[in-house]
Amino acid sequence: MSHSRRAVGWVRRIGVAGAASVLVGGLSLLTVGEPASAAMSVTTIARSSWAYVDSQTPDTTHLNPTGDAPVGTIHASGGDHTYRSYFTFDVSGFRGRQIGTVALFAPETEATDCVHRSVELWTTAPVTAHSTWKDQPAWRQKIYTAGYLANTTCPFPRVEWDATTAVRQAVAAGQSQLTLGLRATDEGEPKLGRWFANNVLMTITYDTPPDTPTPGGTDGKACATARPYPWVASLQPTLSAKLTDPDGTQDGILDVTFALWPVDDPANRTTLPGPGAGDGQTTQLRLPAGVIADGGSYGWSAQATDAEGLTSGWSTACYFQVDATAPANPPTVSSTDYPDDGHSHGGQGIPGTFTFSANGVADVVGFDYAWYGGPPAYVAADQLGGTASVTLAPPSIASNLTVWSIDRAGNFSPQVYYRITTAPTTPIVTSTGQPKAGGTIQLDFQPGVKLAGYQVVSYTYSVNDGANQTVAARADGAATASVPLEYGANTVKVRSTSTNGWISPESDSYFYADNSPTIASADFPENGDGGAVGQQGIFTFSSNLADSTTFFYSFDYGSTWQTVPVGPDGQATINWTPTMAGSQALYAYSQTADGTQSDWYFYDFSVNG
């Protein structure tokens, strides 16, 4: 008789997918059953308690002892001992789940004989604190027998029993605890005696039904479970539901089925497959044409199915009503402040009241409106099919207001155009002086608004989008500001503020500041008449280009040029005597020592005859 005992390594989490079944004499050593599906989850659980009973100590309880678990009849001093071992597992976490395969496994730690092995797995009654050989848990059903496998080590590091039937039965019965027992096939044969490590494990492949879907709503409108149901404008609305699975991404894509029924005929259900989605994702189904009718009320629900064919419960029912008919009449628009009569009223930017009416359409809930080129806004009607009033400021002196009515399903009516004309209210800006680069120009501000209660008290202006500056208005509402200019195009923006706090629309004024010389003459004024033929006059040039050294000038439209040096004060004077009466022109520019030229200036004047 052989007798062997050795240390055995222990792996706490071992999958059983793909394990082979090897039969010897009708007995199996390795796990049987189908390989785990790719959609199945796999977990390994440890026993929660263990015990054994001993024929030589028939009244003694051996609950959770240290040491190995004995099975079968074993010779010892004092006589033969026959042992049976029990292992209890908590299977409550598998309620409601589909069990695939279950493998119970343990390493042999000692074997009486290495040629003979036949250990049975049974379901038993629970072990108690009083369980003994004499009062041992009832042996209920033999589940599996593990036998000898040729050409393997002894003791064998992993003996397995197929516990699938036992776990499935326990879960189906709603048991929280499952007790399994190991015993020798022939307890009168000492060759079958052996020991196993007591930390027996159980690997379970399982699948959990998907969670009940969470309905998202109909056509973007929240799920309604009670009246009033939301209205949808489409005969092919989109139903949405979020799918989740306790097994996470293990199950891959979940299939979904939508059920739809008329509210007044719930038994008339139409089921429609929707696009599959993964765990935590939302699926959407656009109803095909012909499923629902205009004016109808419907309910719908969703159900998920995983790759193993397990289905969730049906989701909470969502309800909606269908109105695919747009309002037939456009709304009406009226305003006492700004009537659409072809005459000018109020002022640009001055607020007024506008009233919108449903124009006899009973299910209008509100109105969209927009100034031409501007963004739309919405206002609710005071009641279904009623009116709404808004305060609006016309953005320009000729403004078009477009208005649509919207019914409870979101259908838009034909649009109506409301045209108004207003008086200008932007500040009036005039300038004094030549706009020269690096210099200043005097701007005079006059109020553009002429309405009572809108007396202008100040002006706010900016140059080239720079910092805002404010100047107080005089008693007549006007103001003056000296504005610096840069070379090139300059933009001056001006707004006025009135006594009632109203701020006018912005006026934009443009000034091109060049760096041509400034020309002045008391004898021959610009754009005027002066002097006489044969009478000498004086012209003064002032440079507007830094570091200019020379002025170039021409009295014959640029055919010939004369020069005069720039003085230390940036100026120069020339004398000129006309030889003929009538219109004349003086061209001039300045130049630096490195050849940089200023812009040209054209000075027009007329010589008296």
Side-chain angles (χ1 to χ4, degrees), residues 354-358 363-369 377-390 403-408:
F354 296 80
T355 299
F356 310 142
S357 171
D363 64 346
V364 165
V365 295
F367 306 88
D368 263 9
Y369 58 93
Y378 174 81
V379 60
D382 57 358
Q383 61 183 5
L384 199 62
T387 63
S389 294
V390 293
V403 185
W404 307 260
S405 60
I406 306 172
D407 69 16
R408 56 196 169 188

Short mmCIF file of all heavy atoms in Angstrom, two decimals, residues 354-358 363-369 377-390 403-408:
data_model
loop_
_atom_site.label_atom_id
_atom_site.label_comp_id
_atom_site.label_asym_id
_atom_site.label_seq_id
_atom_site.Cartn_x
_atom_site.Cartn_y
_atom_site.Cartn_z
N PHE A 354 -44.96 95.51 -27.65
CA PHE A 354 -45.52 94.80 -28.80
C PHE A 354 -46.36 93.64 -28.26
O PHE A 354 -45.95 92.93 -27.33
CB PHE A 354 -44.41 94.24 -29.69
CG PHE A 354 -43.56 95.32 -30.34
CD1 PHE A 354 -42.54 95.94 -29.62
CD2 PHE A 354 -43.77 95.70 -31.65
CE1 PHE A 354 -41.75 96.92 -30.20
CE2 PHE A 354 -42.98 96.67 -32.24
CZ PHE A 354 -41.97 97.30 -31.51
N THR A 355 -47.52 93.43 -28.84
CA THR A 355 -48.43 92.38 -28.40
C THR A 355 -48.64 91.38 -29.52
O THR A 355 -48.92 91.76 -30.67
CB THR A 355 -49.79 92.97 -27.97
OG1 THR A 355 -49.58 93.86 -26.87
CG2 THR A 355 -50.74 91.86 -27.53
N PHE A 356 -48.48 90.08 -29.18
CA PHE A 356 -48.67 88.99 -30.14
C PHE A 356 -49.95 88.24 -29.76
O PHE A 356 -50.22 88.00 -28.58
CB PHE A 356 -47.49 88.01 -30.11
CG PHE A 356 -46.14 88.66 -30.20
CD1 PHE A 356 -45.06 88.16 -29.47
CD2 PHE A 356 -45.93 89.76 -31.00
CE1 PHE A 356 -43.82 88.73 -29.54
CE2 PHE A 356 -44.68 90.36 -31.09
CZ PHE A 356 -43.61 89.84 -30.35
N SER A 357 -50.71 87.85 -30.79
CA SER A 357 -51.94 87.10 -30.56
C SER A 357 -51.94 85.83 -31.39
O SER A 357 -51.38 85.80 -32.50
CB SER A 357 -53.16 87.96 -30.94
OG SER A 357 -54.34 87.17 -30.92
N ALA A 358 -52.57 84.76 -30.86
CA ALA A 358 -52.61 83.46 -31.55
C ALA A 358 -53.46 83.49 -32.80
O ALA A 358 -53.42 82.53 -33.59
CB ALA A 358 -53.11 82.38 -30.60
N ASP A 363 -54.42 76.01 -29.80
CA ASP A 363 -53.40 75.29 -29.02
C ASP A 363 -52.04 75.99 -29.04
O ASP A 363 -51.01 75.37 -28.76
CB ASP A 363 -53.25 73.85 -29.51
CG ASP A 363 -52.75 73.76 -30.94
OD1 ASP A 363 -52.76 74.78 -31.65
OD2 ASP A 363 -52.35 72.66 -31.35
N VAL A 364 -52.01 77.28 -29.34
CA VAL A 364 -50.76 78.04 -29.31
C VAL A 364 -50.35 78.26 -27.85
O VAL A 364 -51.14 78.69 -27.02
CB VAL A 364 -50.90 79.39 -30.04
CG1 VAL A 364 -49.74 80.32 -29.70
CG2 VAL A 364 -50.97 79.15 -31.54
N VAL A 365 -49.07 77.95 -27.56
CA VAL A 365 -48.56 78.12 -26.19
C VAL A 365 -47.57 79.28 -26.08
O VAL A 365 -47.25 79.72 -24.96
CB VAL A 365 -47.87 76.84 -25.69
CG1 VAL A 365 -48.87 75.71 -25.56
CG2 VAL A 365 -46.71 76.44 -26.60
N GLY A 366 -47.07 79.79 -27.21
CA GLY A 366 -46.11 80.88 -27.13
C GLY A 366 -45.72 81.36 -28.51
O GLY A 366 -46.27 80.92 -29.54
N PHE A 367 -44.72 82.26 -28.52
CA PHE A 367 -44.32 82.91 -29.77
C PHE A 367 -42.80 83.03 -29.82
O PHE A 367 -42.15 83.31 -28.81
CB PHE A 367 -44.93 84.31 -29.87
CG PHE A 367 -46.43 84.34 -29.70
CD1 PHE A 367 -46.99 84.46 -28.43
CD2 PHE A 367 -47.27 84.22 -30.80
CE1 PHE A 367 -48.36 84.48 -28.26
CE2 PHE A 367 -48.65 84.24 -30.64
CZ PHE A 367 -49.20 84.36 -29.36
N ASP A 368 -42.25 82.82 -31.01
CA ASP A 368 -40.86 83.15 -31.30
C ASP A 368 -40.85 84.46 -32.07
O ASP A 368 -41.72 84.69 -32.93
CB ASP A 368 -40.19 82.06 -32.13
CG ASP A 368 -39.40 81.09 -31.28
OD1 ASP A 368 -39.50 81.16 -30.04
OD2 ASP A 368 -38.68 80.24 -31.86
N TYR A 369 -39.87 85.31 -31.80
CA TYR A 369 -39.79 86.58 -32.51
C TYR A 369 -38.32 86.97 -32.66
O TYR A 369 -37.46 86.56 -31.87
CB TYR A 369 -40.55 87.68 -31.76
CG TYR A 369 -40.06 87.91 -30.34
CD1 TYR A 369 -39.09 88.88 -30.07
CD2 TYR A 369 -40.56 87.17 -29.28
CE1 TYR A 369 -38.64 89.09 -28.77
CE2 TYR A 369 -40.12 87.37 -27.99
CZ TYR A 369 -39.15 88.33 -27.74
OH TYR A 369 -38.70 88.53 -26.46
N ALA A 377 -36.05 84.94 -29.99
CA ALA A 377 -36.38 84.82 -28.56
C ALA A 377 -37.78 84.26 -28.46
O ALA A 377 -38.54 84.22 -29.44
CB ALA A 377 -36.27 86.18 -27.88
N TYR A 378 -38.12 83.79 -27.26
CA TYR A 378 -39.42 83.15 -27.04
C TYR A 378 -40.15 83.82 -25.89
O TYR A 378 -39.53 84.23 -24.90
CB TYR A 378 -39.22 81.67 -26.72
CG TYR A 378 -40.49 80.95 -26.34
CD1 TYR A 378 -41.39 80.50 -27.29
CD2 TYR A 378 -40.80 80.72 -24.98
CE1 TYR A 378 -42.57 79.84 -26.93
CE2 TYR A 378 -41.97 80.08 -24.62
CZ TYR A 378 -42.85 79.63 -25.59
OH TYR A 378 -44.00 79.00 -25.23
N VAL A 379 -41.47 83.91 -26.02
CA VAL A 379 -42.31 84.39 -24.94
C VAL A 379 -43.55 83.50 -24.88
O VAL A 379 -44.11 83.14 -25.92
CB VAL A 379 -42.70 85.88 -25.12
CG1 VAL A 379 -43.48 86.09 -26.42
CG2 VAL A 379 -43.48 86.39 -23.92
N ALA A 380 -43.95 83.11 -23.67
CA ALA A 380 -45.12 82.25 -23.50
C ALA A 380 -46.39 83.06 -23.59
O ALA A 380 -46.44 84.23 -23.19
CB ALA A 380 -45.04 81.52 -22.15
N ALA A 381 -47.43 82.43 -24.11
CA ALA A 381 -48.75 83.06 -24.14
C ALA A 381 -49.35 83.06 -22.74
O ALA A 381 -49.01 82.22 -21.90
CB ALA A 381 -49.67 82.32 -25.11
N ASP A 382 -50.24 84.02 -22.48
CA ASP A 382 -50.84 84.11 -21.15
C ASP A 382 -51.79 82.94 -20.87
O ASP A 382 -52.11 82.65 -19.72
CB ASP A 382 -51.56 85.44 -20.98
CG ASP A 382 -52.64 85.68 -22.04
OD1 ASP A 382 -52.80 84.83 -22.94
OD2 ASP A 382 -53.30 86.73 -21.97
N GLN A 383 -52.23 82.26 -21.91
CA GLN A 383 -53.05 81.06 -21.78
C GLN A 383 -53.01 80.33 -23.11
O GLN A 383 -52.52 80.87 -24.12
CB GLN A 383 -54.50 81.41 -21.41
CG GLN A 383 -55.20 82.28 -22.44
CD GLN A 383 -56.60 82.66 -22.01
OE1 GLN A 383 -57.03 82.37 -20.91
NE2 GLN A 383 -57.34 83.31 -22.90
N LEU A 384 -53.50 79.10 -23.13
CA LEU A 384 -53.51 78.34 -24.37
C LEU A 384 -54.35 79.09 -25.40
O LEU A 384 -55.51 79.43 -25.16
CB LEU A 384 -54.10 76.95 -24.11
CG LEU A 384 -53.79 75.87 -25.15
CD1 LEU A 384 -52.29 75.62 -25.21
CD2 LEU A 384 -54.52 74.58 -24.79
N GLY A 385 -53.72 79.40 -26.55
CA GLY A 385 -54.41 80.15 -27.59
C GLY A 385 -54.53 81.63 -27.29
O GLY A 385 -55.32 82.33 -27.94
N GLY A 386 -53.72 82.14 -26.34
CA GLY A 386 -53.87 83.52 -25.89
C GLY A 386 -52.88 84.47 -26.53
O GLY A 386 -52.50 84.33 -27.70
N THR A 387 -52.45 85.48 -25.73
CA THR A 387 -51.59 86.55 -26.22
C THR A 387 -50.35 86.65 -25.34
O THR A 387 -50.27 86.06 -24.26
CB THR A 387 -52.33 87.89 -26.23
OG1 THR A 387 -52.67 88.24 -24.88
CG2 THR A 387 -53.59 87.82 -27.07
N ALA A 388 -49.41 87.47 -25.80
CA ALA A 388 -48.22 87.77 -25.02
C ALA A 388 -47.74 89.17 -25.41
O ALA A 388 -47.89 89.58 -26.57
CB ALA A 388 -47.11 86.75 -25.27
N SER A 389 -47.18 89.89 -24.44
CA SER A 389 -46.64 91.22 -24.71
C SER A 389 -45.17 91.25 -24.31
O SER A 389 -44.77 90.67 -23.30
CB SER A 389 -47.40 92.29 -23.92
OG SER A 389 -48.74 92.39 -24.39
N VAL A 390 -44.36 91.92 -25.14
CA VAL A 390 -42.93 92.05 -24.88
C VAL A 390 -42.53 93.51 -25.08
O VAL A 390 -43.17 94.25 -25.84
CB VAL A 390 -42.10 91.15 -25.80
CG1 VAL A 390 -42.33 89.68 -25.49
CG2 VAL A 390 -42.39 91.44 -27.27
N VAL A 403 -42.37 87.25 -36.50
CA VAL A 403 -43.01 86.56 -35.37
C VAL A 403 -43.65 85.26 -35.87
O VAL A 403 -44.26 85.24 -36.94
CB VAL A 403 -44.07 87.44 -34.69
CG1 VAL A 403 -44.62 86.75 -33.44
CG2 VAL A 403 -43.50 88.81 -34.33
N TRP A 404 -43.48 84.17 -35.10
CA TRP A 404 -44.14 82.89 -35.35
C TRP A 404 -44.89 82.49 -34.08
O TRP A 404 -44.42 82.74 -32.96
CB TRP A 404 -43.15 81.76 -35.64
CG TRP A 404 -42.15 82.00 -36.70
CD1 TRP A 404 -42.20 81.55 -37.99
CD2 TRP A 404 -40.89 82.69 -36.58
NE1 TRP A 404 -41.07 81.92 -38.68
CE2 TRP A 404 -40.24 82.63 -37.83
CE3 TRP A 404 -40.26 83.37 -35.54
CZ2 TRP A 404 -39.00 83.20 -38.07
CZ3 TRP A 404 -39.02 83.95 -35.77
CH2 TRP A 404 -38.40 83.87 -37.01
N SER A 405 -46.00 81.83 -34.21
CA SER A 405 -46.64 81.20 -33.06
C SER A 405 -46.24 79.73 -33.02
O SER A 405 -45.92 79.13 -34.04
CB SER A 405 -48.17 81.34 -33.12
OG SER A 405 -48.69 80.73 -34.28
N ILE A 406 -46.23 79.16 -31.81
CA ILE A 406 -45.79 77.79 -31.59
C ILE A 406 -46.88 77.05 -30.81
O ILE A 406 -47.35 77.56 -29.77
CB ILE A 406 -44.46 77.74 -30.81
CG1 ILE A 406 -43.41 78.60 -31.51
CG2 ILE A 406 -43.97 76.32 -30.64
CD1 ILE A 406 -42.14 78.77 -30.71
N ASP A 407 -47.27 75.88 -31.31
CA ASP A 407 -48.31 75.14 -30.60
C ASP A 407 -47.68 74.24 -29.53
O ASP A 407 -46.46 74.18 -29.39
CB ASP A 407 -49.22 74.38 -31.56
CG ASP A 407 -48.53 73.21 -32.26
OD1 ASP A 407 -47.45 72.78 -31.82
OD2 ASP A 407 -49.10 72.70 -33.25
N ARG A 408 -48.49 73.52 -28.80
CA ARG A 408 -48.03 72.74 -27.65
C ARG A 408 -47.10 71.59 -28.04
O ARG A 408 -46.36 71.08 -27.20
CB ARG A 408 -49.25 72.19 -26.90
CG ARG A 408 -50.18 71.36 -27.75
CD ARG A 408 -51.53 71.16 -27.11
NE ARG A 408 -52.49 70.58 -28.04
CZ ARG A 408 -53.78 70.45 -27.77
NH1 ARG A 408 -54.25 70.85 -26.62
NH2 ARG A 408 -54.60 69.91 -28.65
#
